[in-house]
Amino acid sequence: LVPIALIPQLLLSGALIPDMPPAAEAVAKGVVSAYWMFEMQQDILNPGGATWGTAAAVLGAHLVVLTIAAMLVLTFEKPGDG
């Protein structure tokens, strides 16, 4: 399970493949938290850009959405599904 979850994060973060195709970049911007962490790291290490605020906002949105999703799964889980 760990490789299945981590390999797409690494590939779509932009760290290994800096010039991704537009479709892959759209997916990365929407659902890959590592993309925004890498963007924030680049902006902090190379001052002059103000996009780290956008990255922080998207990461916060990911936190909220994933927390709500986890709560819904746990709420509607049947007792015997464990």
Side-chain angles (χ1 to χ4, degrees):
L1 180 64
V2 172
I4 293 172
L6 290 181
I7 290 172
Q9 290 280 328
L10 289 171
L11 293 177
L12 294 174
S13 70
L16 299 176
I17 306 170
D19 296 323
M20 289 187 287
E25 189 167 357
V27 169
K29 285 182 177 181
V31 296
V32 178
S33 298
Y35 175 86
W36 293 104
M37 287 185 263
F38 185 66
E39 288 291 316
M40 186 184 299
Q41 177 185 359
Q42 285 184 314
D43 290 338
I44 290 171
L45 294 176
N46 301 318
T51 58
W52 67 269
T54 302
V58 173
L59 286 171
H62 282 185
L63 174 70
V64 169
V65 168
L66 294 174
T67 300
I68 290 171
M71 290 171 59
L72 288 173
V73 167
L74 291 173
T75 300
F76 295 111
E77 182 180 23
K78 294 179 184 168
D81 289 346

